[in-house]
Amino acid sequence: QVQLVESGGGLVQAGGSLRLSCTASGRTIYQMGWFRQAPGKEREFVAYIGSTTYYAGSVKGRFTISRDSARNTVYLQMNTLKPEDTARYYCGLYSHDHYSQPSSYSNWGQGTQVTVSS
């Protein structure tokens, strides 16, 4: 049973940067996604990595997803952060169907909070 743990969130000023980490234990990871959820809103797709990468239009050009196989870790480098990026960020283990849907992921971490001030 895979376990996922996110870290790296925090409070930053608009225009700043953060790097989120998602470390897996229990099995080797390959197809992973990052999602975010603000209070009262649905979980929203951010980025996916498998043999290729995909990004939500709202973050494309600012965020970069990557994987370190030796550490069994997926990263999300977030640059030029905006107040609308404020949310709790979750990593998920991809399972089936479309990568942009939360229901396509079988395991989730506990999340890490990102807050961007203006």
Side-chain angles (χ1 to χ4, degrees), residues 67-115:
R67 179 176 54 240
D68 185 334
S69 297
R71 291 182 168 86
N72 211 31
T73 298
V74 173
Y75 302 96
L76 185 69
Q77 178 67 47
M78 305 186 296
N79 298 326
T80 320
L81 283 161
K82 304 175 180 180
E84 51 262 46
D85 295 319
T86 295
R88 192 165 185 87
Y89 283 70
Y90 299 88
C91 67
L93 177 67
Y94 176 82
S95 178
H96 62 278
D97 295 335
H98 205 279
Y99 60 84
S100 69
Q101 298 296 322
S103 60
S104 299
Y105 294 77
S106 61
N107 296 80
W108 298 95
Q110 84 289 351
T112 185
Q113 180 67 36
V114 172
T115 302

Side-chain angles (χ1 to χ4, degrees), residues 6-7 10 13-14 30-31 37 40 46 49 53 64 67 73 83-84 90 100 107 110-111 115:
E6 301 96 333
S7 62
Q13 194 172 0
Y30 185 68
Q31 294 172 274
Q37 188 167 25
V46 176
I49 185 168
T53 58
T64 303
R67 179 176 54 240
T73 298
E84 51 262 46
Y90 299 88
S100 69
N107 296 80
Q110 84 289 351
T115 302

Side-chain angles (χ1 to χ4, degrees), residues 26-78:
R27 59 153 285 179
T28 299
I29 59 168
Y30 185 68
Q31 294 172 274
M32 301 289 293
W34 283 99
F35 288 72
R36 64 189 183 187
Q37 188 167 25
K41 301 186 70 175
E42 293 184 330
R43 191 163 294 192
E44 176 189 28
F45 170 73
V46 176
Y48 164 88
I49 185 168
S51 59
T52 187
T53 58
Y54 298 101
Y55 298 91
S58 58
V59 308
K60 189 173 179 62
R62 300 188 297 122
F63 291 10
T64 303
I65 188 170
S66 62
R67 179 176 54 240
D68 185 334
S69 297
R71 291 182 168 86
N72 211 31
T73 298
V74 173
Y75 302 96
L76 185 69
Q77 178 67 47
M78 305 186 296

